[in-house]
């Protein structure tokens, strides 16, 4: 009797995102950062260049190093598959694409001299969506309100008072998009109590 189960590609959007991000991280190391600068970070450049549009979405795959990658991807892998199961691959894919493009546009508009890379906007969208995923029409979950207060409050505080290399506005925008998504899209499955 074979006790080993077959390995299942259970979360196609989240797993594909992870694999691409890992490959991009390896390319970044191999090329000494050239691929991140060229393809996987977004910054103000000519809209006539096709690279502008690639970077607008591709920046979410780029990470500055292993620690940055690990911080984003571990959270993505912990909560992403559950959300993908609940909301469907197509809807989670839409959330990832919309978050990537809007955070890229916001960075170009408000931080013209700064390059943005990483999946943190997407991670924070998923975090806020997770806190709303138990909503069943009986009202807004208290856990959502607590997470929102601490999360948005912390990001605002850091953005205003702490000098670091963290894109707090991207985190806030990702969190807002996760909230909007949670209120607009209905889960495809619901869990029994």
């Amino acid at each position: 009797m074979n006790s080993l189960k077959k390995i299942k590609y259970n979360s196609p959007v989240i797993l594909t995102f992870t694999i691409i991000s890992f490959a991009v991280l390896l390319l970044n190391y191999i090329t000494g950062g050239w691929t991140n600068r060229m393809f996987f970070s977004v910054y103000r450049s000519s809209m006539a260049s096709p690279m502008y549009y690639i970077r607008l979405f591709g920046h979410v795959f780029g990470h500055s190093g292993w620690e940055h990658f690990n911080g984003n991807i571990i959270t993505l892998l912990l909560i992403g598959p559950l959300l993908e199961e609940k909301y469907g691959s197509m809807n989670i894919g839409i959330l990832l694409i919309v978050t990537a493009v809007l955070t890229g546009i916001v960075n170009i508009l408000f931080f013209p001299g700064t390059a943005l890379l990483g999946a943190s906007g997407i991670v924070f969208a998923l975090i806020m969506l997770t806190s709303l995923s138990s909503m069943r029409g009986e009202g807004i979950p208290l856990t959502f309100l607590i997470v929102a207060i601490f999360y948005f409050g912390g990001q605002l505080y850091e953005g205003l008072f702490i000098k670091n290399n963290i894109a707090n506005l991207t985190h806030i925008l990702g969190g807002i998009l996760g909230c909007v998504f949670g209120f607009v899209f209905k889960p495809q499955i619901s869990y029994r109590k």
Side-chain angles (χ1 to χ4, degrees):
M1 188 145 78
N2 186 359
S3 63
L4 294 177
K5 301 218 179 216
K6 198 165 76 169
I7 295 174
K8 183 181 174 193
Y9 203 74
N10 63 312
S11 183
V13 171
I14 297 300
L15 287 170
T16 301
F17 186 93
T18 299
I19 291 166
I20 292 170
S21 295
F22 184 69
V24 166
L25 181 68
L26 292 178
L27 276 172
N28 186 52
Y29 283 128
I30 291 168
T31 65
W34 181 81
T35 52
N36 269 1
R37 286 189 304 276
M38 198 63 190
F39 304 105
F40 303 110
S41 55
V42 65
Y43 45 86
R44 188 172 287 178
S45 61
S46 171
M47 291 178 73
S49 169
M51 295 308 301
Y52 175 89
Y53 302 97
I54 291 170
R55 290 185 198 112
L56 200 56
F57 175 73
H59 71 94
V60 295
F61 298 116
H63 290 86
S64 61
W66 178 254
E67 188 176 321
H68 185 209
F69 171 83
N70 197 37
N72 281 330
I73 297 301
I74 292 297
T75 306
L76 188 81
L77 287 170
L78 284 171
I79 62 177
L82 297 171
L83 292 172
E84 190 170 342
E85 179 183 347
K86 188 164 186 155
Y87 289 94
S89 297
M90 175 82 78
N91 288 333
I92 294 301
I94 290 168
L95 177 61
L96 268 58
I97 291 167
V98 168
T99 302
V101 171
L102 288 181
T103 55
I105 289 169
V106 165
N107 188 74
I108 289 168
L109 292 175
F110 293 105
F111 305 99
T114 304
L116 174 70
L117 75 161
S120 57
I122 287 172
V123 168
F124 285 106
L126 295 177
I127 288 170
M128 293 311 295
L129 179 59
T130 299
S131 67
L132 281 171
S133 66
S134 65
M135 190 168 55
R136 292 185 182 90
E138 305 124 13
I140 297 172
L142 180 59
T143 52
F144 164 74
L145 295 174
I146 293 169
V147 169
I149 289 167
F150 284 112
Y151 166 69
F152 288 114
Q155 291 302 309
L156 284 171
Y157 176 80
E158 279 187 29
L160 294 173
F161 300 111
I162 298 176
K163 278 272 200 211
N164 57 25
N165 202 20
I166 297 175
N168 299 98
L169 186 57
T170 299
H171 296 175
I172 291 168
L173 180 56
I176 290 169
L177 291 170
C179 293
V180 169
F181 189 92
F183 284 110
V184 172
F185 288 89
K186 300 296 175 228
Q188 294 182 355
I189 63 167
S190 59
Y191 299 101
R192 294 184 184 181
K193 291 182 182 180

